[in-house]
Amino acid sequence: MKKLLFICSQNRLRSPTAEAVFAEYEGIETDSAGLDHYAEVPLSTEAIEWADIIFVMEKSHKIKLAQKFQPFLKNKRVICLDIPDEFEYMDAKLIEILKKKVIKIIT
């Protein structure tokens, strides 16, 4: 079972979409969180420790993740998907981009 954690700023659009999309895949567990204080689900150290692979949506998320959680990222694979904040929740184009970028990493 691969455990994938998806992170964006507010955990309202991109990361919850990714969580929902990949939760449907066999052998995959998913979770999502946001880096901002006012995120729907703020990122926790427990979520980081749980994850096998951490996906962030933008380079700025990777930087913020490293600044806030560096001690917990040792031996963690953190991948930036380079997906801008211009999509709605479950947007068909966002799902297409997520599948194209994530599937080649997890298979």
Side-chain angles (χ1 to χ4, degrees), residues 21-39:
V21 167
F22 293 102
E24 302 293 317
Y25 284 69
E26 195 171 317
I28 301 286
E29 284 185 47
T30 61
D31 197 6
S32 67
L35 284 164
D36 292 349
H37 293 294
Y38 50 87

Side-chain angles (χ1 to χ4, degrees), residues 3-44:
K3 295 179 250 174
L4 312 180
L5 175 61
F6 297 94
I7 299 171
C8 64
S9 297
Q10 299 174 16
N11 190 231
R12 288 192 177 98
L13 305 171
R14 293 172 290 174
S15 59
T17 297
E19 178 183 8
V21 167
F22 293 102
E24 302 293 317
Y25 284 69
E26 195 171 317
I28 301 286
E29 284 185 47
T30 61
D31 197 6
S32 67
L35 284 164
D36 292 349
H37 293 294
Y38 50 87
E40 292 289 320
V41 178
L43 182 60
S44 67

Side-chain angles (χ1 to χ4, degrees), residues 4-12 14-16 18-19 31-36 39 41-44 47-48 51 53-58 60-62 64-66 69 73 78-81 83 98:
L4 312 180
L5 175 61
F6 297 94
I7 299 171
C8 64
S9 297
Q10 299 174 16
N11 190 231
R12 288 192 177 98
R14 293 172 290 174
S15 59
E19 178 183 8
D31 197 6
S32 67
L35 284 164
D36 292 349
V41 178
L43 182 60
S44 67
I48 292 170
I53 306 173
I54 300 169
F55 293 95
V56 296
M57 298 296 158
E58 301 174 35
S60 63
H61 297 143
K62 194 169 187 176
K64 193 182 270 191
L65 177 66
F69 294 96
L73 296 173
V78 180
I79 297 166
C80 181
L81 296 172
I83 300 175
L98 283 164

Side-chain angles (χ1 to χ4, degrees), residues 17 86-96:
T17 297
E86 56 187 40
F87 300 97
E88 293 300 317
Y89 178 70
M90 296 304 283
D91 182 301
K93 182 70 175 162
L94 173 58
I95 293 169
E96 180 185 325

